[in-house]
Amino acid sequence: PEPVGANSTATRCSDVVLGITLTTSAGSVAASSYNIAVNPNGLTLSGGTASAGTGKAANEIADDIWRNTGLNPVDVIYTINPVSAAGCLGDPFTVTVTINPEPVGANSTATRCSDEVLGINLTTSGASVAADNYTIAVNPNGLTLSGGTASGGTGKAANELADDVWRNTGLNPVDVVYTVTPVSAAGCSGDPFTVTVTINPEPVGTNS
């Protein structure tokens, strides 16, 4: 007998492990191995091992990770022939994984005076899917937020940093570093990028 597989589909975010194990139908002889051909449709494998070839195990594509930094979802298509322990080749079936794109940001720098509003809006590349929201971590390097709202957290809007005001009454400029992860409307997270704002100090006088 030949092993029998069935076409299947799945959806993953860019840079998320597939976690898919190959199987054959319950009513057929089990597959001992699989022959796999891959059509990435232009995407890059960013994790796992190259899965194309013969004699592959059932978990061969489980650790595959595909990167999509474009504007639209892309289908990665695995065409698979199951092979029985007796060497009988089953008909090919497909595993089609739709890879939703991730938004892409870029590191940036700015300089502001102490107690000056930042006026910075977060953006992502026009060549990638837009960010729907942002996850932000803040390293103030000892400075105090003197205006705006605390920007650390998830689900933040593009203008989250715009009203931030930092106070520096020391001797030297200090960098406030925002580490920002953009998130698409489909919930796909892009790689983190940084917004580094150098806060120049203000002089301080005293009543006399």
Side-chain angles (χ1 to χ4, degrees), residues 138-144 166 174-177 196-197:
V138 187
N139 180 1
N141 281 312
L143 295 190
T144 300
W166 293 94
V174 174
D175 288 343
V176 174
V177 183
T196 302
V197 186

Side-chain angles (χ1 to χ4, degrees), residues 1-195:
E2 66 180 80
V4 177
N7 296 339
S8 65
T9 60
T11 301
R12 297 290 185 272
C13 283
S14 172
D15 281 342
V16 171
V17 66
L18 299 191
I20 295 171
T21 300
L22 301 175
T23 60
T24 50
S25 299
S28 76
V29 66
S32 172
S33 65
Y34 298 85
N35 300 339
I36 302 174
V38 186
N39 179 2
N41 279 313
L43 296 190
T44 300
L45 190 70
S46 59
T49 56
S51 293
T54 60
K56 302 291 187 175
N59 65 350
E60 175 61 36
I61 70 174
D63 63 349
D64 282 5
I65 301 172
W66 295 93
R67 177 164 294 160
N68 180 2
T69 57
L71 294 168
N72 301 300
V74 174
D75 288 344
V76 173
I77 303 171
Y78 296 89
T79 301
I80 300 160
N81 285 97
V83 184
S84 73
C88 295
L89 194 69
D91 291 338
F93 63 94
T94 58
V95 176
T96 302
V97 186
T98 300
I99 307 298
N100 283 326
E102 63 178 270
V104 177
N107 297 339
S108 64
T109 60
T111 301
R112 297 291 186 271
C113 283
S114 172
D115 282 342
E116 179 184 1
V117 68
L118 298 192
I120 295 172
N121 287 314
L122 300 173
T123 61
T124 51
S125 167
S128 72
V129 66
D132 179 70
N133 62 83
Y134 299 85
T135 298
I136 303 174
V138 187
N139 180 1
N141 281 312
L143 295 190
T144 300
L145 191 70
S146 59
T149 55
S151 292
T154 60
K156 302 292 186 173
N159 65 350
E160 177 62 36
L161 314 186
D163 62 350
D164 282 6
V165 181
W166 293 94
R167 177 163 294 160
N168 180 3
T169 57
L171 294 170
N172 301 300
V174 174
D175 288 343
V176 174
V177 183
Y178 297 91
T179 300
V180 183
T181 302
V183 183
S184 73
C188 296
S189 295
D191 293 336
F193 62 94
T194 58
V195 177

